[in-house]
Amino acid sequence: IWRSRVAVAGQRRVNYYVKHLMQDGEGKVNKAMEWLAENKDPKIICHPAVVMFSDVFWGQLANKYFLIGRLYFLFMLVVFLSSQSVLKNLHDEIEDETEEQYIAIFACRLIIYLGSLTRLIFQQIRFFIADCCAGATTKLAGFLPVPNYLFSFQQFGSLVLTISLVLMLVLEPILHCLSGDTDKLFSPRCKESKDITDAYSILSAVAMLLYWLLLTDLTVFSMRFSAFLLVIGRVASEVGLFLGALIYLIAAFSGAISSLKQNLSDFAGMHWSALSLWEIALGIYPSSHFSSVIQTEFVMIAVSLFVIMIAIFLLNLLIAQLNGAYQVVYEDMVGYARLNRAQIIVTTLEQVSQKRWFHFLQNQKFEERLEFGEGDIGLPGGLQVTEPANANPTTVDSIRRFGGSTSRTMPWPEEANLDGGDDDKFERLEKLIVRATKNMGAP
């Protein structure tokens, strides 16, 4: 990185020599971005040179390909939402549902099965074969090989979504009712579909949540939203620990209360006791039922101890853990967001054609020499931008110039100011002025 010592109109000229970070010796995509993404260091990924060439990759090449794929996925989400949540609830009564409504629902589901399910199956097969051929597998429990692509949240979620849609297709009520006795075309209501409707609706709800969760990678377009989402993922493990402790306490106290001599219907057996304690922990236990709990002395004592453990101890401990985890992640959350974008860039660049890649390189004009100043021609292989003059104060020019012949046979001129001449004094004076200005502006 070269920064000019001279600022013009509040802007400083900056040259980033990143040619060989973006392309290799053969003119193809350099693996530097892939290595940085695999290294997963949130500090290196925020180096100005890395930020520069990764933003160029993203802004001029990768984001268009990524957006096209996400827009297709968003379209499928809208179609799925229409068929599962909107169209089927247009009327309050079943008798008011029309044949046109059923046809629209069938058309939407047909688009999902043909346009989304087939695409997801193809992607899963492609990633599975690629990892198996490359030997990119990890053994779970020491014996079960699992392809590495499944350790990505997006890819694992895509696999679960694929399985959900396949099961929905198998249990599709409209298909089961085609051979049944229905008075309306494509009606999902018949005797043949009565036993599978509940299972189908559960799978539909799971698939709906997965569609929305997989759409969250659109936050990569904004570092702020992406960093926020990644912080949520980093601190979610603390919530998991809290839920584990809560389930443990519910199991312990439900067993204890069930062993007491009491005739409360809400605590008649361990399963009902566990359900009642879960409702108490969430604050949804009916307040009118507490009167019967109070009348049973030992049950009241057990429930009181449970509430104290949950409300006073576990909840406050959860808050402390979330604060501690957030403070640890906060310093590097932008770095983690950039790592997430880097992984998407690497994946997207694999889909870019050679023609599009060489056109991209031509637009960068790496062969042109960059100016150090007006008329001061420098070195090729970089990108030139401007930044605010106060962003990175530069008092010493990193390039030293010497007069005389440029012949290689001539001896290198000696530096005349090694003993602290006028130039050195002016540099020290300038640094002193900059330091004093900062101290004056400090609160």
Side-chain angles (χ1 to χ4, degrees), residues 268-399:
M270 189 171 178
H271 57 293
W272 288 113
S273 299
L275 179 61
S276 299
L277 291 177
W278 177 259
E279 292 177 349
I280 291 173
L282 296 181
I284 59 176
Y285 188 74
S287 57
S288 58
H289 292 197
F290 276 108
S291 57
S292 58
V293 174
I294 295 174
Q295 295 175 2
T296 308
E297 182 179 355
F298 292 106
V299 174
M300 182 190 69
I301 294 174
V303 171
S304 300
L305 289 175
F306 175 77
V307 172
I308 291 173
M309 292 289 293
I310 296 298
I312 298 179
F313 180 69
L314 278 186
L315 282 178
N316 286 285
L317 180 60
L318 173 64
I319 294 171
Q321 285 180 309
L322 291 177
N323 281 329
Y326 181 80
Q327 290 176 0
V328 171
V329 177
Y330 175 78
E331 297 179 357
D332 296 326
M333 65 179 183
V334 176
Y336 287 117
R338 288 201 167 274
L339 282 172
N340 185 41
R341 177 182 284 186
Q343 293 172 352
I344 294 176
I345 291 174
V346 171
T347 304
T348 307
L349 288 180
E350 295 175 354
Q351 307 171 11
V352 177
S353 64
Q354 289 292 330
K355 182 179 179 181
R356 181 73 180 89
W357 169 250
F358 287 121
H359 179 70
F360 165 77
L361 290 181
Q362 290 176 358
N363 291 338
Q364 306 312 310
K365 300 178 180 179
F366 284 133
E367 305 305 322
E368 296 185 3
R369 293 179 177 271
L370 302 180
E371 291 185 339
F372 292 134
E374 293 187 9
D376 186 5
I377 306 300
L379 303 173
L383 302 171
Q384 187 174 95
V385 297
T386 57
E387 66 180 15
N390 59 354
N392 296 282
T394 304
T395 58
V396 179
D397 197 338
S398 58
I399 298 176

Side-chain angles (χ1 to χ4, degrees), residues 86 132 164 195 243 278 337 346 370 437:
V86 178
C132 291
S164 300
D195 297 333
L243 291 177
W278 177 259
V346 171
L370 302 180
T437 305

Side-chain angles (χ1 to χ4, degrees), residues 432-443:
L432 181 61
I433 293 174
V434 171
R435 192 181 302 115
T437 305
K438 289 184 177 180
N439 293 334
M440 291 173 62

Side-chain angles (χ1 to χ4, degrees), residues 140-420:
L140 293 181
F143 68 93
L144 181 62
V146 177
N148 288 343
Y149 83 95
L150 290 178
F151 291 96
S152 167
F153 168 76
Q154 288 289 331
Q155 298 303 331
F156 181 76
S158 296
L159 175 62
V160 179
L161 177 60
T162 304
I163 296 173
S164 300
L165 291 178
V166 169
L167 293 177
M168 286 179 61
L169 177 59
V170 173
L171 299 176
E172 178 58 54
I174 295 178
L175 298 180
H176 284 269
C177 290
L178 288 177
S179 59
D181 184 15
T182 58
D183 56 346
K184 296 178 182 178
L185 183 63
F186 299 133
S187 173
R189 307 186 187 282
C190 62
K191 294 186 297 182
E192 289 78 2
S193 66
K194 185 177 180 181
D195 297 333
I196 61 175
T197 303
D198 291 340
Y200 179 85
S201 64
I202 294 174
L203 290 170
S204 175
V206 172
M208 184 69 70
L209 290 175
L210 288 171
Y211 265 111
W212 284 105
L213 285 175
L214 293 176
L215 197 64
T216 55
D217 61 354
L218 282 176
T219 56
V220 74
F221 284 94
S222 170
M223 284 292 99
R224 187 173 183 180
F225 284 111
S226 182
F228 175 74
L229 184 65
L230 289 172
V231 168
I232 293 176
R234 295 279 173 173
V235 302
S237 59
E238 308 299 331
V239 180
L241 293 175
F242 168 79
L243 291 177
L246 176 60
I247 293 173
Y248 179 82
L249 287 177
I250 288 176
F253 277 90
S254 61
I257 294 176
S258 299
S259 64
L260 292 173
K261 183 180 179 180
Q262 43 87 14
N263 297 318
L264 299 177
S265 58
D266 289 346
F267 297 92
M270 189 171 178
H271 57 293
W272 288 113
S273 299
L275 179 61
S276 299
L277 291 177
W278 177 259
E279 292 177 349
I280 291 173
L282 296 181
I284 59 176
Y285 188 74
S287 57
S288 58
H289 292 197
F290 276 108
S291 57
S292 58
V293 174
I294 295 174
Q295 295 175 2
T296 308
E297 182 179 355
F298 292 106
V299 174
M300 182 190 69
I301 294 174
V303 171
S304 300
L305 289 175
F306 175 77
V307 172
I308 291 173
M309 292 289 293
I310 296 298
I312 298 179
F313 180 69
L314 278 186
L315 282 178
N316 286 285
L317 180 60
L318 173 64
I319 294 171
Q321 285 180 309
L322 291 177
N323 281 329
Y326 181 80
Q327 290 176 0
V328 171
V329 177
Y330 175 78
E331 297 179 357
D332 296 326
M333 65 179 183
V334 176
Y336 287 117
R338 288 201 167 274
L339 282 172
N340 185 41
R341 177 182 284 186
Q343 293 172 352
I344 294 176
I345 291 174
V346 171
T347 304
T348 307
L349 288 180
E350 295 175 354
Q351 307 171 11
V352 177
S353 64
Q354 289 292 330
K355 182 179 179 181
R356 181 73 180 89
W357 169 250
F358 287 121
H359 179 70
F360 165 77
L361 290 181
Q362 290 176 358
N363 291 338
Q364 306 312 310
K365 300 178 180 179
F366 284 133
E367 305 305 322
E368 296 185 3
R369 293 179 177 271
L370 302 180
E371 291 185 339
F372 292 134
E374 293 187 9
D376 186 5
I377 306 300
L379 303 173
L383 302 171
Q384 187 174 95
V385 297
T386 57
E387 66 180 15
N390 59 354
N392 296 282
T394 304
T395 58
V396 179
D397 197 338
S398 58
I399 298 176
R400 288 189 175 273
R401 296 170 175 80
F402 300 92
S405 174
T406 58
S407 174
R408 295 183 179 181
T409 59
M410 296 292 292
W412 192 261
E414 297 182 0
E415 298 189 44
N417 297 318
L418 292 177
D419 57 347

